[in-house]
Amino acid sequence: MDVVEAIHQRRSFRSFAGAAIPRETLKRLVDAAIQAPSAMNEQPWSFTIIQNQALLGHISERAKKHMLALTKGTPAGDRYATLLGSDDFHIFYHAPALVVISAPLSSHWAVEDCALAAQNLMLAAHAMKLGTCWVGFAQAWLGTEEGHAATGISSSLLPVAPIIAGYPNVVTDSVPRKAPNINWID
């Protein structure tokens, strides 16, 4: 698959078949992720892969409560309240795997470096017929003391990119893109 084709075809998936992803496939995704550029070539990333469904359910419940508390009384909180307050909503959509990309708190470009690695991981997953989605609802809770303890992520790391992965249940159509705002300076 051509990389430009992969960029145009990749979508976020929120419906997965129950099949587990083989460990070797997950290792291939991480290998693709670490090929990303990083500031000053620090390659600061760390990967935590969670496949334990009971733990993913626990994280989902705790992250929902955390996000509701963080956004209470804000326009975003009003928008998220019904979804996050539902017992039926699982923030990881019952995906078979969660990959959390983290970097040291001391890294000046932790977010940028992890985001670049995440994009590589998601494009590689698409090429391997896997679906992915960056789950922003999980980010804040993963960075708490409780989140670090539950996941085993060191407290010296900032969890940046929680990405679910699995075999998609449905094919997602292309999403129209807005025309870019380009300012040409000649």
Side-chain angles (χ1 to χ4, degrees):
M1 174 177 291
D2 172 273
V3 70
V4 175
E5 180 183 359
I7 289 168
H8 284 268
Q9 291 178 358
R10 195 212 66 79
R11 302 285 172 259
S12 292
F13 285 89
R14 295 174 182 87
S15 180
F16 301 94
I21 301 171
R23 191 172 277 218
E24 189 55 42
T25 301
L26 291 165
K27 285 181 184 176
R28 288 179 58 208
L29 292 178
V30 170
D31 185 55
I34 66 171
Q35 303 309 311
S38 63
M40 305 299 292
N41 197 31
E42 287 184 358
Q43 303 177 44
W45 34 65
S46 176
F47 299 84
T48 302
I49 301 173
I50 302 170
Q51 294 178 283
N52 180 304
Q53 291 301 302
L55 178 56
L56 290 174
H58 172 75
I59 294 169
S60 176
E61 287 306 310
R62 299 302 303 147
K64 286 180 356 181
K65 286 181 170 83
H66 188 74
M67 183 60 75
L68 279 169
L70 280 179
T71 61
K72 186 176 182 174
T74 69
D78 295 341
R79 218 172 49 241
Y80 302 150
T82 302
L83 182 64
L84 293 172
S86 170
D87 290 337
D88 294 332
F89 178 61
H90 192 289
I91 67 169
F92 301 124
Y93 301 92
H94 302 285
L98 170 66
V99 179
V100 182
I101 306 174
S102 306
L105 291 167
S106 61
S107 173
H108 294 290
W109 300 283
V111 172
E112 294 82 353
D113 291 340
C114 289
L116 288 164
Q119 180 71 355
N120 272 18
L121 186 144
M122 291 186 289
L123 288 170
H126 174 69
M128 290 187 250
K129 309 268 189 269
L130 291 168
T132 58
C133 184
W134 183 317
V135 181
F137 284 146
Q139 282 177 254
W141 184 82
L142 288 169
T144 67
E145 187 176 317
E146 184 184 6
H148 284 280
T151 60
I153 296 172
S154 169
S155 60
S156 67
L157 296 175
L158 173 68
V160 174
I163 299 169
I164 53 175
Y167 297 98
N169 263 345
V170 295
V171 176
T172 304
D173 291 331
S174 296
V175 177
R177 296 294 175 192
K178 298 175 185 175
N181 180 9
I182 303 172
N183 297 310
W184 297 96
I185 301 172
D186 294 322

